[in-house]
Amino acid sequence: MTDRYAVIGNPIGHTKSPMIHGSFAQSTGQDIEYTAIEGPLDGFAGAVHAFRDAGGRGMNVTAPFKLQAFELATDRLERAELAGATNALKFEGDRIYADNFDGVGLVADITRNLGVEIKGACVLLLGAGGAARGALQPFLAQRPSVLVLANRTLETAVALADRFAPYGEVIASGYGDLSGQHFDIVVNATSASLKGELPPLPAEVLKGTKLAYELVYGKGLTPFLRLAQNAGAAQLADGVGMLVEQAAEAFAWWRGVRPDTRGLIDRMKIPLV
Ligand code: ATR
């Protein structure tokens, strides 16, 4: 029988998940159906339960439901617990398991696809919201030599640095204090690019950077990537690889087989111009 999966969000029209999982199912020979559900803003839990009761096996969760999905779960895996949010659910009997693959997807993209080692690197993470929080533990697990977390609101960065201290040292910083520092990898995990804005990052920080990574996908050369390009960053990337890699992790969690991702990422890439 065909197993059913879905992505739930609101709005959901833009989602690439059905295409990505459809491609994975084909390449791995898995018999699944994967659809998109627009969850009612005041009825997320009801929509999840209805999907499960109709035989659904798992769901991806996107904005604005990642926190509600975390609350709804009966069992949270450590990564979801640390991120305080979930982007993937698995249904088994009356249990709802929650995980979060955003951070591991990002790390997989940087290390495997873009060929940049995080181990021993000086890393700068911009932003201290949900996206940064999901990335911290997977980054620390790679053992960078330095991990600086910069945020407009310094207290939020300090609170995150404290929370993640058991997993490795995170140095909280304001943007102004970054002047004169240089990093191998700079990741923009703020939501600034969604608004066409630029975090107040001193341009010189990006001089000599090996990789400037924009989490937002499909927006071309965002103000952050443009700044990095002008500063001479060696490699620029947006979040398409992360999107596909986190999907591959969820697929493996559900189906026990990890699909190849390279071909699909290459097909989905939009030139950064
Ligand atoms: P998400 O879940 O996408 O991470 P969020 O939790 O709302 O979204 O967090 C947004 C992050 O982007 C925050 O770190 C925010 O900084 P503040 O904590 O100071 O608000 C950051 N951000 C948003 N717009 C920004 C801008 N124009 N410049 C710098 N940082 C910005």
Side-chain angles (χ1 to χ4, degrees):
M1 207 183 75
T2 304
D3 288 333
R4 297 179 59 211
Y5 297 86
V7 58
I8 184 166
N10 187 331
I12 199 66
H14 61 280
T15 183
K16 304 265 186 251
S17 293
M19 183 275 286
I20 294 172
H21 284 278
S23 165
F24 289 165
Q26 204 172 28
S27 66
T28 58
Q30 293 282 307
D31 184 14
I32 69 159
E33 176 193 271
Y34 190 109
T35 53
I37 295 175
E38 185 171 280
L41 291 175
D42 57 355
F44 170 73
V48 171
H49 287 137
F51 183 73
R52 182 187 61 172
D53 295 347
R57 301 285 303 272
M59 291 179 114
N60 282 124
V61 181
T62 186
F65 298 128
K66 289 185 179 184
L67 297 177
Q68 285 184 59
F70 180 77
E71 297 296 333
L72 185 70
T74 57
D75 300 80
R76 296 165 190 139
L77 286 104
E78 189 192 21
R79 274 187 302 235
E81 201 72 65
L82 280 172
T86 183
N87 80 334
L89 299 172
K90 179 157 76 171
F91 308 129
E92 279 178 12
D94 63 351
R95 313 306 296 172
I96 300 179
Y97 294 90
D99 208 334
N100 189 319
F101 298 113
D102 285 334
V104 279
L106 171 62
V107 164
D109 191 35
I110 292 175
T111 56
R112 279 194 234 152
N113 302 331
L114 300 169
V116 178
E117 256 204 285
I118 297 173
K119 186 172 193 282
C122 291
V123 177
L124 172 61
L125 192 57
L126 309 178
R133 191 167 156 172
L136 276 173
Q137 187 269 338
F139 260 96
L140 289 169
Q142 297 285 312
R143 307 240 159 266
S145 69
V146 175
L147 201 168
V148 174
L149 181 70
N151 199 42
R152 209 170 42 177
T153 313
L154 180 59
E155 305 85 79
T156 323
V158 171
L160 270 195
D162 285 350
R163 182 181 168 90
F164 283 84
Y167 299 88
E169 191 187 10
V170 178
I171 301 166
S173 172
Y175 284 99
D177 298 332
L178 295 173
S179 290
Q181 298 187 52
H182 297 286
F183 297 90
D184 301 310
I185 302 171
V186 182
V187 177
N188 184 13
T190 72
S191 55
S193 303
L194 293 172
K195 305 171 272 181
E197 294 171 4
L198 180 65
L201 178 69
E204 84 227 31
V205 168
L206 289 154
K207 225 171 155 181
T209 288
K210 288 184 195 151
L211 172 66
Y213 196 108
E214 172 75 80
L215 250 52
V216 168
Y217 155 62
K219 295 251 182 243
L221 211 51
T222 60
F224 165 74
L225 289 177
R226 198 177 295 275
L227 187 76
Q229 187 180 53
N230 290 340
Q235 201 176 171
L236 308 178
D238 74 1
V240 62
M242 172 184 174
L243 177 72
V244 175
E245 292 297 343
Q246 66 75 28
E249 293 290 333
F251 192 91
W253 188 44
W254 292 328
R255 308 302 301 177
V257 44
R258 198 181 194 286
D260 282 339
T261 51
R262 281 305 272 271
L264 183 58
I265 293 172
D266 287 343
R267 287 201 298 282
M268 288 178 67
K269 255 188 195 152
I270 297 169
L272 295 173
V273 286

